[in-house]
């Protein structure tokens, strides 16, 4: 494989070609198809609508998105390649398994060894998913269903760490409404993973500065990626605290450990259906940061340099 590249669904690219990256998004995902899940949560694979929505991000200056839809909830490498060709965006595909409630039975998470699980993640990155020949470019989103790591989730986290060591890929996680991201870091560290290449996702769902400082204090990246969501009162009204925490992280010198995204994962989030689409950062959040005193150089570091560094396989 080429050195110093980013693996997209259309092949390796020069990291400098990425531009502005949305590091935690979906272009299609179906959570309610998993047995015993009844929340009817879905972002439909509606190509004309998705292409139109992503075109708005590209028109706003976007260059790349990371699609973290996992095996079992709708990951489709051919779909992602089609999206990339149709939009002109660089698209990076994730790998691994989401969280225990959504593990597909055929993955046999509870029956295979950690090394066997790691082997599959490595195969996705080095050979390709299934017979597609399309390679993943990041590990994740690897998650926990609750504020603790279950036994099966521990296996997946350990497998992710072992695969990261073998491939050089970064790891990105799902960790909500708790400090479980620190438990995730404990597992990755125990397996010898490079924590500077780990992203703890959904950190804005636990908007406490101590939690965010603890993440960056271990050299990992903190990702605020529920921006523009409106499903809960915290999401609708809590953004001010995120701006404050982000500014405090910057003041303490952690500009290189912050990522921003929107986690579009439901039809209602699309502009077509009254949501903010993939342009909430451009339309609302980045202007709010600038008004709070965040410089253009800092914004470029957060939106361009940081995700590019994490996605680059040395």
């Amino acid at each position: 494989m080429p050195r110093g590249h980013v693996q997209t669904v259309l092949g390796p690219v020069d990291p400098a070609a990425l531009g502005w990256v949305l590091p935690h998004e979906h272009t299609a995902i179906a959570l309610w198809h998993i047995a015993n899940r009844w929340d009817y949560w879905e972002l439909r694979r509606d190509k004309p609508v998705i292409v139109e929505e992503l075109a708005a991000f590209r028109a706003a200056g976007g260059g790349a998105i990371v699609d973290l839809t996992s095996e079992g909830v709708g990951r489709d490498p051919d779909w992602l390649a089609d999206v990339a060709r149709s939009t002109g965006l660089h698209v990076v595909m994730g790998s691994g398994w989401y969280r225990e409630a959504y593990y597909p039975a055929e993955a046999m998470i509870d029956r295979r060894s950690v090394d066997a699980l790691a082997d599959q993640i490595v195969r996705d990155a080095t050979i390709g998913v299934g017979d597609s020949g399309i390679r993943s470019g990041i590990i994740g989103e690897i998650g926990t269903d609750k504020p603790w790591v279950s036994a099966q989730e521990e296996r997946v986290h350990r497998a992710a760490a072992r695969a990261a060591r073998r491939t050089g890929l970064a790891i990105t996680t799902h960790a909500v409404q708790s400090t479980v991201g620190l438990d995730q870091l404990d597992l990755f560290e125990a397996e010898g993973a490079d924590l500077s290449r780990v992203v703890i996702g959904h950190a804005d769902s636990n908007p406490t500065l101590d939690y965010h400082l603890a993440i960056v204090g271990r050299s990992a990246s903190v990702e605020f990626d529920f921006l523009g969501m409106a499903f809960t009162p915290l999401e609708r009204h809590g953004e001010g605290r995120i701006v404050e925490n982000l500014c405090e992280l910057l003041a303490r010198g952690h500009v290189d450990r912050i990522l921003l995204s929107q986690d579009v994962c439901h039809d209602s989030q699309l502009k077509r259906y009254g949501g903010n689409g993939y342009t909430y950062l451009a339309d609302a959040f980045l202007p709010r940061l600038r008004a709070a005193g965040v410089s253009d150089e800092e914004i470029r570091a957060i939106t361009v340099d940081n995700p590019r560094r994490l996605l680059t396989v040395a």
Side-chain angles (χ1 to χ4, degrees):
M1 297 175 70
R3 294 182 63 83
H5 70 284
V6 172
Q7 185 63 47
T8 78
V9 294
L10 298 184
V13 301
D14 184 339
L18 293 184
W20 176 8
V21 181
L22 294 179
H24 192 120
E25 301 295 338
H26 304 273
T27 58
I29 187 169
L31 300 182
W32 66 283
H33 292 273
I34 298 298
N36 301 318
R37 300 297 290 199
W38 307 105
D39 43 9
Y40 298 97
W41 198 274
E42 183 169 20
L43 177 64
R44 288 175 293 174
R45 193 177 304 182
D46 188 336
K47 182 179 175 181
V49 172
I50 295 298
V51 168
E52 179 182 17
E53 299 276 335
L54 289 173
F57 169 60
R58 190 174 185 204
I65 65 165
V66 180
D67 187 302
L68 296 178
T69 303
S70 304
E71 176 185 348
V73 294
R75 183 182 66 171
D76 184 335
D78 293 317
W79 157 260
L80 294 177
D82 190 21
V83 167
R85 293 188 188 99
S86 299
T87 62
L89 291 168
H90 297 294
V91 178
V92 176
M93 176 175 63
S95 61
W97 300 273
Y98 182 32
R99 45 192 171 118
E100 183 172 347
Y102 300 95
Y103 291 160
E106 60 271 20
M108 296 190 294
I109 301 297
D110 59 340
R111 301 184 189 184
R112 291 195 285 168
S113 70
V114 171
D115 282 336
L117 297 173
D119 286 344
Q120 183 168 337
I121 298 173
V122 171
R123 185 187 189 282
D124 286 354
T126 57
I127 297 174
V129 174
D131 296 325
S132 70
I134 297 174
R135 300 175 180 178
S136 56
I138 194 168
I139 299 169
E141 64 188 286
I142 299 298
T144 58
D145 206 44
K146 300 294 182 183
W148 58 84
V149 183
S150 74
Q152 290 194 52
E153 289 166 348
E154 178 178 341
R155 295 162 67 83
V156 171
H157 282 68
R158 290 187 182 278
R162 294 181 193 183
R165 290 183 62 189
R166 291 165 59 185
T167 62
L169 294 185
I171 302 172
T172 187
T173 80
H174 170 105
V176 297
Q177 297 178 206
S178 67
T179 59
V180 74
L182 302 179
D183 299 319
Q184 294 175 333
L185 290 176
D186 288 343
L187 289 170
F188 297 145
E189 186 172 35
E191 291 291 339
D194 179 357
L195 298 191
S196 72
R197 294 189 57 71
V198 173
V199 179
I200 300 300
H202 311 324
D204 38 350
S205 71
N206 182 21
T208 58
L209 181 61
D210 285 347
Y211 176 54
H212 301 159
L213 288 172
I215 293 170
V216 300
R218 296 180 67 177
S219 299
S221 292
V222 60
E223 186 172 76
F224 303 125
D225 51 38
F226 279 179
L227 300 172
M229 280 195 182
F231 296 111
T232 69
L234 178 63
E235 291 163 359
R236 289 192 294 272
H237 306 294
E239 194 173 277
R241 290 184 66 187
I242 300 305
V243 172
E244 292 173 0
N245 286 6
L246 190 153
C247 289
E248 184 62 25
L249 289 169
L250 292 175
R252 297 190 188 203
H254 298 300
V255 67
D256 60 337
R257 296 294 167 203
I258 302 169
L259 296 170
L260 302 176
S261 211
Q262 301 141 147
D263 195 15
V264 174
C265 56
H266 193 283
D267 287 337
S268 66
Q269 289 173 268
L270 300 176
K271 286 193 172 185
R272 171 69 68 93
Y273 305 116
N276 292 310
Y278 297 94
T279 61
Y280 180 76
L281 293 180
D283 296 340
F285 191 74
L286 295 184
R288 189 168 186 175
L289 288 186
R290 291 187 179 98
V294 179
S295 70
D296 286 342
E297 291 77 12
E298 289 169 322
I299 288 174
R300 176 180 172 82
I302 292 168
T303 60
V304 177
D305 299 341
N306 293 350
R308 178 176 63 194
R309 182 185 70 251
L310 286 158
L311 291 171
T312 298
V313 182

